[in-house]
Amino acid sequence: IPERRGPSFARNIGSKEANFENLVFLDSDIIVPNDCFIKINGLLDDKSISVINCPVSSDMPYKNFFSQYANIFFRYSILKEAHNMIFTSFCIIKAGCFNKVGGFAEHVLYPYADDLILGWKLRHNGCKFAFAKNIEVQHYKKMSALKSILYWLFHAYYMEKYFIAEKKIISKFAM
């Protein structure tokens, strides 16, 4: 990709190059268990399911407070919203459903709202979500005090930018 266009653009390019029924999105700081796809196979065979998420493990390799807090917050956010959202740290989406909604919103340049917007688009278009509770991925996100503050400031800024400043996204895809 010749210029910086954000993760949404890169993921859409990758999805266009893929020739598979299922698209797997996996961030570089996620480790999946060895038996992940064996366990998830039954959900993949169910033609009514379009999106599969799984939780992050409570077992965190970094033991400092800020890493632990971020991991626990992320884990319980996923557990709470698993029926409504996708989390592209690790998810599987049926290619037909993904293409039907136009993929990720490419105007989202930073990875703070892209998966939430895609989740709303998928839901709005009738794509069924499944949550694989029997699989836990590890999220290797090492945080410090400064990184935590910056992360939450960026998160708040981009959530405001893409959800409040662009209310048409919410109103168009809200259920």
Side-chain angles (χ1 to χ4, degrees), residues 36-97:
C36 174
F37 291 100
I38 292 168
K39 287 182 175 179
I40 217 163
N41 219 13
L43 290 172
L44 290 171
D45 290 339
D46 185 338
K47 299 297 179 199
S48 71
I49 294 173
S50 302
V51 179
I52 301 170
N53 277 320
C54 63
V56 294
S57 173
S58 58
D59 181 29
M60 175 63 161
Y62 304 113
K63 301 300 180 192
N64 69 61
F65 171 80
F66 297 102
S67 297
Q68 289 291 323
Y69 177 82
N71 191 66
I72 290 168
F73 180 85
F74 190 62
R75 175 181 169 77
Y76 289 103
S77 295
I78 291 172
L79 291 173
K80 182 180 174 194
E81 294 294 333
H83 62 286
N84 256 344
M85 304 285 182
I86 64 163
F87 302 92
T88 53
S89 299
F90 175 69
C91 71
I92 300 169
I93 305 172
K94 300 275 180 169
C97 194

Side-chain angles (χ1 to χ4, degrees), residues 38-171:
I38 292 168
K39 287 182 175 179
I40 217 163
N41 219 13
L43 290 172
L44 290 171
D45 290 339
D46 185 338
K47 299 297 179 199
S48 71
I49 294 173
S50 302
V51 179
I52 301 170
N53 277 320
C54 63
V56 294
S57 173
S58 58
D59 181 29
M60 175 63 161
Y62 304 113
K63 301 300 180 192
N64 69 61
F65 171 80
F66 297 102
S67 297
Q68 289 291 323
Y69 177 82
N71 191 66
I72 290 168
F73 180 85
F74 190 62
R75 175 181 169 77
Y76 289 103
S77 295
I78 291 172
L79 291 173
K80 182 180 174 194
E81 294 294 333
H83 62 286
N84 256 344
M85 304 285 182
I86 64 163
F87 302 92
T88 53
S89 299
F90 175 69
C91 71
I92 300 169
I93 305 172
K94 300 275 180 169
C97 194
F98 181 82
N99 294 329
K100 177 179 160 184
V101 302
F104 287 94
E106 292 183 8
H107 70 284
V108 179
L109 299 179
Y110 295 92
Y112 295 104
D114 56 340
D115 49 359
L116 301 177
I117 293 169
L118 178 60
W120 279 327
K121 288 171 31 176
L122 291 165
R123 252 303 160 218
H124 179 73
N125 280 279
C127 299
K128 184 178 174 187
F129 288 45
F131 191 62
K133 292 180 184 176
N134 63 331
I135 301 167
E136 291 189 350
V137 300
Q138 283 198 310
H139 194 197
Y140 280 72
K141 190 173 210 71
K142 188 172 187 178
M143 301 293 273
S144 64
L146 180 60
K147 273 179 133 176
S148 292
I149 291 167
L150 292 174
Y151 174 83
W152 292 112
L153 286 174
F154 275 102
H155 188 76
Y157 172 77
Y158 286 106
M159 293 300 274
E160 185 277 333
K161 179 176 180 176
Y162 294 119
F163 289 107
I164 295 173
E166 298 186 29
K167 290 180 185 174
K168 63 182 180 200
I169 293 171
I170 292 176
S171 63

